[in-house]
Amino acid sequence: MEYVYKIVNNQGVVEHVGNTNNPANRLIDHKKKGNGSSRGRFYKRDDVRLEVLEECTNRKDAYHIQCQYQIMYGLPTDIEMISQGHLNSDKRFNGGNASIDSDKHNTKLEQTCPYCSKTMKGPTYKRWHGDNCKWK
């Protein structure tokens, strides 16, 4: 079962619309501090509450209903976020969660430093090689 929900502040303003299969924990996820410097969208906000709008049998239906509610409340839809490059469309339309564009954070991309000729994967190249290589 999938649920379409909205997060509303004390003034009754809808600040977010989304879908989840666990509405009981979703607001907690939005509020909690993540690893490192990442924080939930509503971190340290006690003035918001989650309200379930609709129940759906599958994620695809919930996603389309979510987009309708986002338009109704004047919020940017996930479709708009995808077109602006903020979300990766592959996972969302294949039934998974939307995520930050994985091309920018590709840890499997293998690169060779032109200065020291070492080959490596992930963020190590950007941090220690290329323009930052000590053999430059």
Side-chain angles (χ1 to χ4, degrees), residues 109-114 116-122 124-125 129:
L109 182 64
E110 196 169 272
Q111 295 176 302
T112 302
C113 179
C116 65
S117 301
K118 289 185 180 178
T119 301
M120 68 224 55
K121 293 181 181 178
T124 307
Y125 177 84
H129 297 278

Side-chain angles (χ1 to χ4, degrees), residues 3-8 14 16-18 50-56 65-66 68-70 72-73:
Y3 300 89
V4 178
Y5 66 90
K6 65 181 176 180
I7 296 181
V8 184
V14 176
H16 178 74
V17 175
L50 184 140
E51 297 176 7
V52 173
L53 296 168
E54 291 193 36
E55 293 181 17
C56 302
I65 292 169
Q66 169 193 333
Q68 291 171 357
Y69 276 108
Q70 286 171 329
M72 184 174 87
Y73 289 119

Side-chain angles (χ1 to χ4, degrees), residues 25-125:
N25 290 331
R26 190 62 186 124
L27 185 58
I28 295 167
D29 291 342
H30 276 299
K31 286 183 169 186
K32 73 180 179 183
K33 183 175 180 181
N35 296 333
S37 64
S38 66
R39 293 186 172 100
R41 183 171 179 180
F42 299 101
Y43 180 65
K44 289 192 173 181
R45 296 263 318 261
D46 294 327
D47 66 328
V48 293
R49 67 186 183 280
L50 184 140
E51 297 176 7
V52 173
L53 296 168
E54 291 193 36
E55 293 181 17
C56 302
T57 55
N58 62 55
R59 180 170 281 190
K60 187 175 182 181
D61 291 344
Y63 172 70
H64 290 294
I65 292 169
Q66 169 193 333
C67 287
Q68 291 171 357
Y69 276 108
Q70 286 171 329
I71 291 168
M72 184 174 87
Y73 289 119
L75 301 170
T77 65
D78 285 356
I79 295 170
E80 290 169 353
M81 299 288 279
I82 290 166
S83 67
Q84 294 170 3
H86 298 296
L87 296 177
N88 181 355
S89 63
D90 297 338
K91 288 186 180 180
R92 173 59 81 180
F93 292 117
N94 289 330
N97 289 323
S99 64
I100 295 173
D101 189 1
S102 60
D103 292 342
K104 294 176 184 172
H105 304 285
N106 193 344
T107 59
K108 295 181 181 179
L109 182 64
E110 196 169 272
Q111 295 176 302
T112 302
C113 179
Y115 303 105
C116 65
S117 301
K118 289 185 180 178
T119 301
M120 68 224 55
K121 293 181 181 178
T124 307
Y125 177 84

